[in-house]
């Protein structure tokens, strides 16, 4: 009985030592907390340390991450963040989330708007007594109005 008790105490001490010697989960972003990508589509990188297995995901489909998961590492991990071209006329913002066990960190990804001028209506039929028309213009850039016809004034 005494041998069994001694063996149980040794096993308990070994288990306590092993579990207390294991490092606590640590996830640290070592790069900047935001990435600015070009309107044409480009890539950037996020670097971090993770002492447990990790995964990465994006909040929007226009941002992809490679690799999207990995094993615990003693060194720095780098993931590549890529975006498609922004064909919209609005700035875009997404977040990349790195998860490890109960920990998560986010990095903001920003992409500027596509620049342009939109004329929702491009053809106007005028009555003979018409003196003026209103032309709607949507733009996120500076623009000027001119005409090549001498009978039209802007």
């Amino acid at each position: 009985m005494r041998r069994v008790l001694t063996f149980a105490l040794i096993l308990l001490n070994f288990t306590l030592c092993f579990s207390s010697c294991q490092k606590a989960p640590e996830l640290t972003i070592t790069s900047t907390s935001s990435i600015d990508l070009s309107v044409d589509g480009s890539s950037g990188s996020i670097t971090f340390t993770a002492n447990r297995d990790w995964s990465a995901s994006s909040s929007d489909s226009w941002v992809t991450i490679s690799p999207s998961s990995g094993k615990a590492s003693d060194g720095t991990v780098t993931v590549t963040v890529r975006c498609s071209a922004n064909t919209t006329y609005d700035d875009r913002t997404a977040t990349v989330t790195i998860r490890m066990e109960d920990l998560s960190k986010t990095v903001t990804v920003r992409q500027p708007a596509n620049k342009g001028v939109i004329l929702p209506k491009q053809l106007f039929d005028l009555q003979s007594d018409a003196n003026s028309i209103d032309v709607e213009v949507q733009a996120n850039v500076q623009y000027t109005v001119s005409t090549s016809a001498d009978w039209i004034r802007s």
Side-chain angles (χ1 to χ4, degrees):
M1 175 74 170
R2 186 174 187 157
R3 283 187 184 177
V4 172
L5 186 56
T6 303
F7 179 72
L9 287 174
I10 291 171
L11 185 60
L12 178 63
N13 283 335
F14 177 75
T15 304
L16 289 174
C17 179
F18 179 73
S19 64
S20 65
C21 293
Q22 190 177 19
K23 289 183 179 179
E26 290 182 22
L27 175 62
T28 305
I29 303 293
T30 56
S31 59
T32 180
S33 62
S34 64
I35 300 173
D36 293 315
L37 301 175
S38 73
V39 68
D40 298 327
S42 60
S43 63
S45 60
I46 300 171
T47 57
F48 59 94
T49 58
N51 65 351
R52 301 282 195 282
D53 293 355
W54 56 270
S55 65
S57 61
S58 170
S59 64
D60 287 290
S61 61
W62 57 271
V63 176
T64 59
I65 305 151
S66 179
S68 59
S69 63
K71 298 287 185 189
S73 174
D74 290 331
T76 301
V77 177
T78 301
V79 295
T80 301
V81 177
R82 288 185 175 81
C83 70
S84 57
N86 188 354
T87 58
T88 72
Y89 297 101
D90 297 312
D91 292 340
R92 301 196 289 193
T93 302
T95 56
V96 171
T97 303
I98 312 292
R99 287 184 179 81
M100 184 191 78
E101 293 185 358
D102 293 337
L103 302 175
S104 67
K105 302 284 183 175
T106 60
V107 174
T108 302
V109 179
R110 293 185 297 253
Q111 187 179 34
N114 192 17
K115 301 296 183 190
V117 176
I118 299 172
L119 298 172
K121 185 175 178 185
Q122 297 178 8
L123 180 63
F124 297 88
D125 292 323
L126 303 176
Q127 300 297 323
S128 61
D129 60 344
N131 290 327
S132 66
I133 59 168
D134 292 324
V135 177
E136 180 184 349
V137 177
Q138 299 170 351
N140 59 4
V141 294
Q142 293 283 337
Y143 66 91
T144 59
V145 177
S146 63
T147 179
S148 61
D150 60 358
W151 58 273
I152 299 175
R153 290 175 287 175
S154 55

